[in-house]
Amino acid sequence: MPQGIKKDAEERMEKALGALRRDLLTLRAGRASAAMLDRVQAEYYGTATPINQMGAINTPDSRTIIITPWDKTALSAIEKAIQKSDLGLTPANDGSIIRLNIPPLTEERRSELAKSTKKFGEEAKVAIRNIRRDANDEIKKKEKGEISEDESRRHQDDVQKLTDRYVVEVDKILAAKEKEIMEV
């Protein structure tokens, strides 16, 4: 029975890593990427709607993002949402599309982005540790009648090894993203 608990914990930890990777894609590393806009939502007919559901997002070159809304009335809502976001970009609205020019990153902005990666990494580590706690609680419940104390301890040690492995993986992902951000 504890094998199922460990398998569930591993699946949940893998999902936490996936969420970290998605969050890091939204950070700008000096090149244009449609993923940068994934967290930006515009007020559209009274509802917060992700921009990627309001129009086509293209990256014609490494420094430009073009948003072509499906509904031209959404143009101003998209523009306002981008201005309010933490992207630090100024949209250029030409009446039918919105153009975002991605300026080269300054050293100060690179440092801010590196701090943001650390914040995302800490959130992922907390999620992994919470999963560890949940798995250990489940194992301890099984200790009451289904498994012995020694087996419980062994399974908890396995969960700890799993946790350590995923925390190291988070650190590797963060190091790669920081390197990408800091390279000029």
Side-chain angles (χ1 to χ4, degrees):
M1 187 61 97
Q3 289 304 109
I5 295 170
K6 288 188 281 188
K7 186 176 186 312
D8 179 55
E10 186 168 13
E11 289 171 1
R12 290 175 57 202
M13 287 180 188
E14 195 60 48
K15 287 179 184 176
L17 277 184
L20 172 65
R21 287 184 182 107
R22 279 191 310 279
D23 286 343
L24 291 179
L25 281 177
T26 64
L27 290 179
R28 154 169 99 99
R31 324 184 263 286
S33 166
M36 291 170 46
L37 300 172
D38 283 353
R39 292 186 297 154
V40 180
Q41 296 191 344
E43 191 69 28
Y44 187 57
Y45 291 114
T47 306
T49 308
I51 288 179
N52 58 8
Q53 294 179 11
M54 297 173 69
I57 300 174
N58 299 311
T59 53
D61 59 53
S62 65
R63 297 272 182 219
T64 308
I65 298 175
I66 294 178
I67 305 166
T68 309
W70 292 306
D71 180 4
K72 300 298 180 205
T73 60
L75 215 54
S76 63
I78 293 171
E79 186 177 16
K80 287 177 188 173
I82 292 169
Q83 287 172 339
K84 289 180 183 177
S85 73
D86 62 349
L87 293 174
L89 300 174
T90 305
N93 180 348
D94 75 356
S96 61
I97 63 170
I98 293 178
R99 188 179 316 275
L100 296 172
N101 291 317
I102 312 296
L105 292 174
T106 63
E107 190 61 38
E108 181 181 319
R109 184 69 178 142
R110 288 179 195 280
S111 298
E112 288 174 25
L113 288 174
K115 287 178 187 174
S116 293
T117 62
K118 288 182 175 127
K119 184 185 109 204
F120 285 130
E122 277 307 309
E123 289 172 0
K125 287 178 183 179
V126 166
I128 289 170
R129 290 181 189 123
N130 286 340
I131 294 165
R132 175 192 61 194
R133 184 195 62 225
D134 294 345
N136 284 339
D137 288 347
E138 288 287 320
I139 291 169
K140 288 176 185 173
K141 284 180 188 175
K142 302 285 183 207
E143 187 181 324
K144 303 267 192 275
E146 295 178 35
I147 61 174
S148 69
E149 265 187 60
D150 289 342
E151 285 179 289
S152 171
R153 191 75 209 134
R154 196 170 28 257
H155 291 301
Q156 288 179 39
D157 288 343
D158 290 345
V159 170
Q160 182 59 48
K161 288 175 187 170
L162 186 65
T163 302
D164 294 341
R165 190 174 85 215
Y166 277 93
V167 166
V168 167
E169 188 65 29
V170 166
D171 289 336
K172 286 180 187 176
I173 292 169
L174 291 179
K177 186 64 175 185
E178 282 184 44
K179 182 180 178 208
E180 179 185 338
I181 288 172
M182 296 311 274
E183 72 185 31
V184 179

